Amino acid sequence: MITLNDTVLQYLLAAVVALPLLGAAAALLPAPPGLRGRSPEQAVLRHGVTVTGVVLAAALTLAAGFDYDRAEDVQGGTDISWIPALGIRLHLGVDGISLPLLVLTALLTFLCALYSYRNPPKGPTPTAFVALLLVLEAGTLATFAVLDLVLFFLAFEMVLVPMYFLIARWGGVGRAKAAWKFILYTLLGSVVMLLGLLLVGLTAGTFDMVALAADNGAGIGRTTQIVAVLALGIGFAVKTPMWPLHTWLPDAHTAAPTVGSVLLAGVMLKMGTYGLVRIVLPAAPEGAAHFAPYLAAFAVVGILYGSLACLALVRRGGGGDLKRLIAYSSVGHMGFVLLGIATLTRTGVNGALFANVAHGLITGLLFFLVGALKERTGSTDLDALAAQAAGGRGAGLYGRAPRFGGLLAFGAVASLGLPGLAGFWGEMLALLGAYHPADGLSRPAYLVFMALGGLGTLLTAAYLLLVVRRVCMGERQPETAALPDVRGYEFAAWTPLVVLTVLAGLWPALLLGLTDPAVQNLLPGVSR
């Protein structure tokens, strides 16, 4: 790695946040004559690939120039007064917590643009699609980069409108209802969250997230912290999504276009858990400790509920949809993230941050695969897919498209937490954090939570292996037509996710060495 000075990092971070917005505005303009290609549609899709590629290159350069010996410090900071009367500032910066999520967002958005260039979603003009995709990227990147509570709220809300239209205009069956459910749930949660942010900022006398973390709740009374954490927790729980505030998620995923599902699961769900770690834990530690056991309880219920819902969907005759199953699996996987945070330990919070990134890589890959499977077969109904491979008499993916079937099996075993792949470490560290929760938390209660979380891992393995058995297995018969195997553009879009899933699984210190110093900085006095 090369170490860049803070001024260069400052410009790089500003470019990462601003370029998608500029690209979205440019996408609405006519393409110059020399760049139109075969059609205006191709030109705007190529524009999306170019802009997201430049943003990814800037994010990778930022990561390469980041000083990993000071991962706990905010680097590349920009701090400019914006609304002096309210003390609101344009404050940007990254540390070991936000940098991985920033790079993950840039990577997944670029892969979505690359995939859409060759396989654009069916719907209105690609011009609006590319512009919305770039606005969504800008809002997500800003959420992970800003260090002011008001800016955080604005960035947090910025992603709702483009995702609403991506679902409502380019989605599948039931898209109108799913889009309305998505926007209503998340807006209501955001209103409650805003009250919590204002309560924290006005009580502490600053909206600066760095100053709030440094004070560690010293300027906010215990009762105020409890009220603030309740409001913030509800808002973040809706976006995570935490059971029982998750009901918008399966409908949104089922109706969304492929790239919408990839970005929704890959980065948008991380915004809620990021807010818990970045704002709630350091700014209101007493309030966080008060609600931690309740958060852990809801987390393990979500783990078990998500797994049982997936088992119901995968059973024969259940009429389950593979895309809906992966959506419910996200409820369970994000439950492990919440459990890690609820331990209030370095081990658990590091596990939560690791699981965030792992879930983004693995579930992003799975939604890419399911979207491509629907394109090939015309359906993601599990009974219809399994009928082709029942008892080995039909034709499973191994027989009809062996590389595609192998990738689906890889995504499934990575999602169930196979050791050596990225999905393993986050869940294991969350459970280890529950084994020794922070001082003041009931260890017997957390041991029960750990046991229930362990049961959830077994149920997760059960339903994912059943998916592989029902969809992938079965030799192709002579009368059964082969399916197109992995195409070139699909290989380009999916390979980075596979490589990073293996790399993070075999070398977890690459990520943990980045997050741990920053977690120590946010949780002073916590020894484990």
Side-chain angles (χ1 to χ4, degrees), residues 21-405:
L21 276 179
L22 297 175
L28 301 176
L29 302 175
L35 300 176
R36 288 175 185 170
R38 293 191 299 271
S39 66
E41 290 78 12
Q42 185 202 43
V44 75
L45 289 169
R46 187 169 56 222
H47 171 79
V49 176
T50 302
V51 173
T52 56
V54 172
V55 172
L56 176 59
L60 292 175
T61 306
L62 178 69
F66 188 81
D67 186 352
Y68 291 85
D69 293 330
R70 298 189 300 115
E72 70 278 10
D73 295 335
V74 172
Q75 301 179 37
T78 298
D79 193 2
I80 303 171
S81 180
W82 184 34
I83 307 178
L86 299 178
I88 301 172
R89 307 184 66 82
L90 292 173
H91 192 181
L92 305 177
V94 290
D95 63 1
I97 292 173
S98 54
L99 181 62
L101 294 172
L102 203 76
V103 174
L104 176 67
T105 300
L107 173 65
L108 285 178
T109 311
F110 170 69
L111 297 180
C112 286
L114 185 65
Y115 183 83
S116 299
Y117 178 69
R118 292 295 303 274
N119 189 22
K122 296 179 175 61
T125 168
T127 301
F129 172 80
V130 170
L132 290 170
L133 186 69
L134 292 172
V135 172
L136 178 63
E137 180 182 33
T140 311
L141 289 169
T143 300
F144 299 135
V146 298
L147 295 171
D148 182 277
L149 292 182
V150 176
L151 282 183
F152 176 85
F153 175 77
L154 294 177
F156 200 88
E157 294 303 286
M158 183 177 172
V159 303
L160 301 185
V161 173
M163 182 54 72
Y164 167 80
F165 282 108
L166 286 174
I167 297 172
R169 303 300 301 276
W170 285 270
V173 177
R175 61 180 182 266
K177 179 183 176 182
W180 272 111
K181 199 171 183 180
F182 162 78
I183 199 75
L184 288 176
Y185 263 76
T186 50
L187 278 178
L188 287 174
S190 297
V191 169
V192 181
M193 182 189 74
L194 176 60
L195 296 177
L197 292 173
L198 292 175
L199 181 59
V200 169
L202 294 175
T203 305
T206 180
F207 291 104
D208 187 88
M209 291 155 68
V210 177
L212 288 168
D215 288 344
N216 202 227
I220 308 175
R222 185 175 188 275
T223 302
T224 305
Q225 287 191 32
I226 290 174
V227 175
V229 170
L230 178 61
L232 291 170
I234 291 173
F236 292 143
V238 171
K239 186 63 72 73
T240 296
M242 181 186 78
W243 180 92
L245 302 175
H246 69 284
T247 54
W248 61 270
L249 183 71
D251 291 340
H253 270 310
T254 304
T258 296
V259 296
S261 291
V262 170
L263 294 176
L264 180 58
V267 293
M268 283 186 64
L269 300 190
K270 314 304 177 283
M271 294 164 64
T273 52
Y274 174 78
L276 289 172
V277 174
R278 173 64 72 191
I279 299 171
V280 172
L281 296 189
E286 292 184 72
H290 178 81
F291 284 109
Y294 303 101
L295 178 61
F298 281 118
V300 296
V301 171
I303 292 169
L304 295 175
Y305 172 83
S307 299
L308 292 173
C310 290
L311 282 171
L313 289 171
V314 79
R315 65 183 174 85
R316 293 184 185 279
D321 183 274
L322 185 53
K323 203 173 184 184
R324 195 173 189 85
L325 182 144
I326 297 172
Y328 272 109
S329 77
S330 291
V331 176
H333 288 304
M334 296 308 291
F336 282 102
V337 178
L338 292 172
L339 177 60
I341 294 171
T343 67
L344 304 183
T345 63
R346 282 169 45 194
T347 299
V349 174
N350 274 302
L353 295 172
F354 196 103
N356 257 345
V357 175
H359 179 264
L361 295 172
I362 297 167
T363 308
L365 174 64
L366 285 172
F367 275 119
F368 268 133
L369 291 167
V370 173
L373 182 61
K374 184 174 184 179
E375 178 197 347
R376 285 163 166 78
T377 65
S379 174
T380 53
D381 182 87
L382 279 163
D383 288 333
L385 294 171
Q388 303 174 18
R393 294 187 298 275
L397 287 179
Y398 290 158
R400 303 177 72 186
R403 294 183 182 85
F404 190 94

Side-chain angles (χ1 to χ4, degrees), residues 506-528:
L506 295 178
W507 194 10
L510 186 67
L511 183 56
L512 293 174
L514 183 61
T515 61
D516 187 52
V519 170
Q520 291 184 52
N521 191 46
L522 288 183
L523 299 174
V526 177
S527 59
R528 57 178 183 270

